[in-house]
C-alpha cells in the first residue's frame, strides 16, 4: 500500500470517481450484504481499542492516499464493524437488512438533499407527507400532522415541547419564566429519553413523576391518578402523560384506554412512545396490544426497529390539525422560507422542526412498503411473534434456562442457569451467582463472534438476557442455535 501512487483528488475526474464507487459498491455487496448476512460468518471481529486503532490507522494526514488504499480502508472498516444485519445479531431493537430499504438509503445518500423546502426536495416533501398519512391512518387518525425525527428520543422530546407550548404558548418567547412548575408522568419502565428530554427542555428531571408499573411492566392507571393528585397538591401543574407501547426491556404495552381516560379527566396531553411497538399496528392479529392509541395526542414510532427499515427512520405523529408543529418551532427564516415563492409555500415543511438541515428518512420506508405491501409487512410482524413463541416453548424444555416472564411481544427475557447452579436454586447466594453468568457469556460470545445478545439487571432481578426477535430472515434454526450456543459457552460454569 505504501508504494501505491497517491490519488490526491477525484474532483472533476468523473471516470475515476465512477470506478471508485463501483469498487466500493462491490465491496459492500461482498463484505456486508453477502458475508454480513451469512450465518457461517462471524457477527463481529472483536479487537481491543488500542489494537483496533492501530489496525485502522485512524490518523488524518496532509497527504492523500491512493484509490487502492482507500478501498482497503473500506474493507477494514467493514471487517471490524459489528454486522447488525447478521441473523445471529440479537443485541438491539433493530437488526436485519431489507434490500429495498437499503436501496432507498443509497438513493437518499446519493441525492444528498435536505428535507426542508419543496424547492430542493420536491419528491421527498410529497413522499414524507404520504408516508406519515399512512402511519397516522394505522394509528386511527383521518387527519393530523407529523415529521420524521432523528431517532425516537427526539420524537419524545418534541412531544413534550409541543404539549408545553400548547398549554403555555408564551414560553416560546419568554422561556421558563413564563411557566409555573410543571409535572409530566410516565412509568418507571419508560425509555430514558423522557428524563433526558425534560432536562434538555429546562423542565428538570424532578418534573418527571414516575408512575408504578405492575409485575409485567405495564403502567398502573390508578397510580397515575394518585401521582397527578400528589403533583397538584405540591403546587405543580400536570400537562403530559407519556405511555409506552413496547418497553425496552420487557416489551410491555401500557393500558392505553385506561391511561387515556385519566388524561381526559385531567385535560392532559397523551403521548404514546411506540418507538418499539408501533409496528404491531400493521398486524390484525396483534394490534389489540395498542388498543386506545387513537386517543393519543402524539405518537412516536420507529420503523427502523421491527420493520427493519434501516437507521434511522423515526416518525412523530400528531392528531393536531392546527399547525402546532410550525407554531411551536417555526422562526420564519427569510433566506429559506420566503413567502413570495412561485409555488405553495405550505409545502416548505422545514419550519416545523428544530433542525435546519434534515436528512431524508422517508424513502427507505416508502420503497420497502412499495415492494412488500402492507400485507408483506404484516407477515413480517406476525412471523416475529411466532418465532418468539417458538423460542419460549423450546426454552421451557431445557433445564438450563429460566424465563423471567411470559412475553407478550418479541422481547424474550430469560436466565441461562449453568450446570453448577441448576441444583442450587434455593440457596441464599443463588441470585447473586446467577447475575454473574450473563456478563461472562456475553464476553465469550463476542470474542468468539458467534452471536450478540443483550443483558441487563431489572429492578430486583439480577442480570438476564433479553432476546429480541426482529430480523425478518430469522428461522427456527436460529432460535435453536441461540439456545445451543449458550449451553456450549456456559457448560464449564
Amino acid at each position: 500500500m505504501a508504494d501505491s501512487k497517491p490519488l490526491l483528488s477525484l474532483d472533476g475526474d468523473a471516470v475515476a470517481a465512477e470506478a471508485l464507487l463501483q469498487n466500493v459498491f462491490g465491496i459492500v455487496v461482498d463484505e456486508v450484504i453477502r458475508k454480513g448476512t451469512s450465518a457461517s460468518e462471524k457477527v463481529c471481529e472483536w479487537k481491543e481499542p488500542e489494537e483496533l486503532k492501530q489496525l485502522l490507522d485512524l490518523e488524518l494526514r496532509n497527504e492523500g492516499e491512493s484509490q487502492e488504499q482507500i478501498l482497503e480502508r473500506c474493507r477494514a472498516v467493514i471487517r471490524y464493524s459489528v454486522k447488525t444485519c447478521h441473523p445471529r445479531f440479537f443485541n438491539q431493537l433493530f437488526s436485519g437488512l431489507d434490500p429495498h430499504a437499503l436501496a432507498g438509503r443509497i438513493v437518499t445518500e446519493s441525492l444528498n438533499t435536505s428535507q426542508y423546502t419543496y424547492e430542493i426536495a420536491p419528491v421527498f416533501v410529497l413522499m414524507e407527507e404520504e408516508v406519515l398519512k399512512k402511519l397516522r391512518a394505522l394509528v386511527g387518525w383521518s387527519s393530523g400532522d407529523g415529521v420524521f425525527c432523528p431517532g425516537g428520543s427526539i420524537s419524545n422530546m418534541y412531544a413534550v415541547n409541543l404539549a408545553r407550548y400548547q398549554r403555555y404558548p408564551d414560553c416560546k418567547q419568554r422561556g421558563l419564566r413564563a411557566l409555573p412548575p410543571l409535572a409530566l408522568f410516565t412509568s418507571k419502565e419508560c425509555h430514558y429519553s423522557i428524563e433526558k428530554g425534560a432536562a434538555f427542555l429546562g423542565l428538570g428531571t424532578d418534573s418527571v413523576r414516575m408512575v408504578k408499573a405492575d409485575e409485567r411492566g405495564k403502567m398502573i392507571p390508578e397510580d397515575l391518578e394518585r401521582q397527578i393528585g400528589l403533583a397538584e397538591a405540591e403546587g405543580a401543574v400536570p400537562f403530559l402523560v407519556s405511555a409506552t407501547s413496547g418497553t425496552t426491556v420487557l416489551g410491555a404495552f401500557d393500558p392505553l384506554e385506561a391511561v387515556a381516560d385519566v388524561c381526559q379527566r385531567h385535560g392532559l396531553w397523551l403521548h404514546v412512545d411506540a418507538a418499539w411497538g408501533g409496528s404491531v399496528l400493521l398486524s390484525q392479529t396483534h394490534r389489540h396490544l395498542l388498543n386506545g392509541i387513537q386517543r393519543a395526542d402524539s405518537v412516536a414510532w420507529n420503523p427502523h426497529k421491527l420493520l427493519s427499515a434501516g437507521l434511522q427512520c423515526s416518525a412523530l405523529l400528531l392528531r393536531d390539525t392546527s399547525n402546532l408543529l410550525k407554531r411551536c418551532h417555526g422562526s420564519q427564516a427569510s433566506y429559506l422560507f420566503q413567502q413570495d415563492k412561485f409555488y405553495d409555500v405550505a409545502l416548505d415543511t422545514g419550519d416545523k422542526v428544530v433542525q435546519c438541515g434534515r436528512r431524508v428518512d422517508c424513502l427507505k420506508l416508502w420503497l420497502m412498503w412499495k415492494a412488500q405491501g402492507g400485507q408483506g409487512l404484516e407477515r413480517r410482524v406476525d412471523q416475529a411473534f411466532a418465532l418468539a413463541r417458538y423460542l419460549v416453548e423450546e426454552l421451557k424444555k431445557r433445564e438450563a434456562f429460566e424465563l423471567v416472564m411470559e412475553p407478550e411481544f418479541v422481547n424474550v427475557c430469560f436466565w441461562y442457569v449453568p450446570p453448577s447452579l441448576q441444583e442450587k436454586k434455593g440457596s441464599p447466594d443463588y441470585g447473586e451467582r446467577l447475575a454473574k453468568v450473563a456478563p461472562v457469556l456475553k464476553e465469550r460470545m463476542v470474542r468468539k463472534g458467534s452471536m450478540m445478545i443483550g443483558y441487563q439487571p431489572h429492578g430486583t432481578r439480577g442480570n438476564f438476557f433479553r432476546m429480541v426477535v426482529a430480523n425478518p430472515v430469522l428461522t427456527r434454526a436460529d432460535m435453536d442455535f441461540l439456545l445451543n450456543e449458550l449451553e456450549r459457552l456456559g457448560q464449564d460454569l
Side-chain angles (χ1 to χ4, degrees):
M1 285 174 59
D3 297 328
S4 299
K5 180 182 178 183
L7 186 64
L8 299 182
S9 175
L10 294 182
D11 294 348
D13 190 340
V15 173
E18 181 179 333
L20 171 68
L21 292 174
Q22 291 279 9
N23 285 327
V24 171
F25 288 148
I27 292 169
V28 169
V29 170
D30 287 339
E31 302 296 329
V32 179
I33 299 173
R34 187 173 297 130
K35 292 182 181 177
T37 60
S38 171
S40 64
E41 299 284 340
K42 289 185 176 182
V43 177
C44 57
E45 185 75 41
W46 177 260
K47 299 293 179 185
E48 296 296 335
E50 289 306 316
E51 182 186 2
L52 186 57
K53 286 179 184 179
Q54 296 301 316
L55 288 167
L56 294 174
D57 185 21
L58 293 172
E59 182 186 349
L60 297 174
R61 303 181 179 88
N62 288 329
E63 293 298 320
E65 296 181 341
S66 70
Q67 181 166 314
E68 291 78 12
Q69 287 174 301
I70 295 303
L71 294 177
E72 195 53 43
R73 300 280 184 214
C74 292
R75 291 188 185 95
V77 166
I78 294 169
R79 179 179 179 183
Y80 299 115
S81 291
V82 174
K83 311 306 186 294
T84 64
C85 53
H86 196 283
R88 308 283 162 74
F89 176 82
F90 313 120
N91 209 68
Q92 313 301 142
L93 299 181
F94 67 88
S95 61
L97 190 153
D98 182 282
H100 301 101
L102 178 59
R105 289 150 71 190
I106 292 170
V107 173
T108 293
E109 294 300 319
S110 301
L111 289 172
N112 191 40
T113 193
S114 181
Q115 181 99 38
Y116 44 45
T117 64
Y118 184 80
E119 184 177 342
I120 69 160
V123 171
F124 301 127
V125 165
L126 298 179
M127 183 182 292
E128 180 177 62
E129 180 46 45
E130 190 61 32
V131 173
L132 291 170
K133 178 182 176 183
K134 185 67 175 181
L135 297 180
R136 287 195 302 267
L138 285 165
V139 169
W141 300 333
S142 58
S143 59
D145 203 351
V147 68
F148 277 94
C149 296
S153 293
I154 303 300
S155 296
N156 289 338
M157 192 185 304
Y158 270 29
V160 175
N161 199 41
L162 290 164
R164 179 175 67 174
Y165 173 82
Q166 185 192 52
R167 182 164 291 212
Y168 298 102
D170 283 355
C171 73
K172 180 176 178 180
Q173 181 175 347
R174 298 183 59 225
L176 298 180
R177 66 181 184 273
L179 301 172
L182 297 179
L184 62 105
F185 305 84
T186 190
S187 91
K188 67 183 186 70
E189 298 290 327
C190 74
H191 191 260
Y192 65 80
S193 60
I194 303 300
E195 282 195 304
K196 279 197 171 188
F200 187 85
L201 292 169
L203 296 170
T205 57
D206 285 350
S207 69
V208 181
R209 308 297 178 103
M210 291 297 178
V211 180
K212 291 179 181 178
D214 64 19
E215 68 281 357
R216 296 196 56 80
K218 298 171 178 287
M219 182 188 289
I220 299 174
E222 293 78 12
D223 192 59
L224 171 61
E225 189 84 57
R226 186 182 70 85
Q227 292 274 9
I228 291 170
L230 283 175
E232 290 175 334
E234 294 169 8
V237 179
F239 76 106
L240 173 140
V241 174
S242 179
T244 310
S245 289
T247 58
T248 305
V249 177
L250 301 179
F253 288 77
D254 287 341
L256 299 181
E257 288 284 10
V259 172
D261 287 343
V262 176
C263 291
Q264 188 172 332
R265 278 196 297 275
H266 293 274
L268 307 183
W269 180 291
L270 174 57
H271 173 64
V272 177
D273 176 6
W276 176 217
S279 296
V280 179
L281 289 168
L282 284 153
S283 169
Q284 293 303 311
T285 304
H286 301 288
R287 63 172 289 132
H288 64 87
L289 292 168
L290 296 99
N291 281 351
I293 195 171
Q294 74 282 356
R295 299 175 64 186
D297 296 286
S298 56
V299 172
W301 179 353
N302 288 6
H304 71 237
K305 291 180 175 169
L306 190 54
L307 295 185
S308 297
L311 288 162
Q312 59 199 12
C313 190
S314 305
L316 173 69
L317 309 173
L318 297 176
R319 188 151 50 102
D320 173 79
T321 57
S322 70
N323 216 11
L324 182 67
L325 266 172
K326 191 170 183 179
R327 288 186 289 118
C328 180
H329 298 135
S331 62
Q332 299 87 46
S334 60
Y335 55 84
L336 195 58
F337 304 114
Q338 303 92 335
Q339 297 303 294
D340 54 358
K341 291 183 178 181
F342 61 93
Y343 58 84
D344 181 2
V345 294
L347 293 166
D348 290 352
T349 56
D351 225 11
K352 292 182 179 182
V353 297
V354 175
Q355 298 165 261
C356 178
R358 183 163 67 94
R359 62 174 292 133
V360 174
D361 286 329
C362 58
L363 177 57
K364 52 201 161 198
L365 178 56
W366 181 84
L367 202 61
M368 181 176 71
W369 206 307
K370 282 287 191 182
Q372 297 280 348
Q375 291 179 337
L377 296 178
E378 179 179 12
R379 284 193 297 271
R380 183 171 288 184
V381 174
D382 288 344
Q383 170 72 357
F385 273 89
L387 275 178
R389 175 45 48 189
Y390 172 81
L391 176 61
V392 168
E393 296 307 319
E394 290 301 306
L395 190 148
K396 289 177 181 178
K397 298 175 184 177
R398 306 195 188 201
E399 188 179 4
F401 296 92
E402 182 182 338
L403 267 180
V404 173
M405 66 176 61
E406 285 282 345
E408 65 174 343
F409 194 20
V410 296
N411 306 42
V412 180
C413 298
F414 62 90
W415 288 280
Y416 169 74
V417 185
S420 65
L421 290 178
Q422 287 174 17
E423 302 300 325
K424 299 182 179 179
K425 292 188 178 181
S427 62
D429 63 345
Y430 174 77
E432 182 182 348
R433 293 174 64 184
L434 185 61
K436 295 176 180 178
V437 173
V440 173
L441 294 189
K442 179 63 178 279
E443 180 179 356
R444 290 180 178 184
M445 69 178 73
V446 170
R447 291 190 181 280
K448 184 180 176 183
S450 59
M451 64 181 183
M452 290 183 71
I453 177 171
Y455 73 87
Q456 64 286 303
H458 185 267
T460 59
R461 301 181 180 103
N463 287 322
F464 58 83
F465 287 113
R466 180 203 62 175
M467 168 64 183
V468 179
V469 185
N471 189 332
V473 304
L474 292 179
T475 66
R476 290 186 172 190
D478 296 306
M479 304 300 100
D480 295 337
F481 175 87
L482 165 73
L483 300 179
N484 293 335
E485 181 67 3
L486 285 173
E487 288 181 332
R488 279 193 294 269
L489 293 170
Q491 62 186 348
D492 65 330
L493 296 179

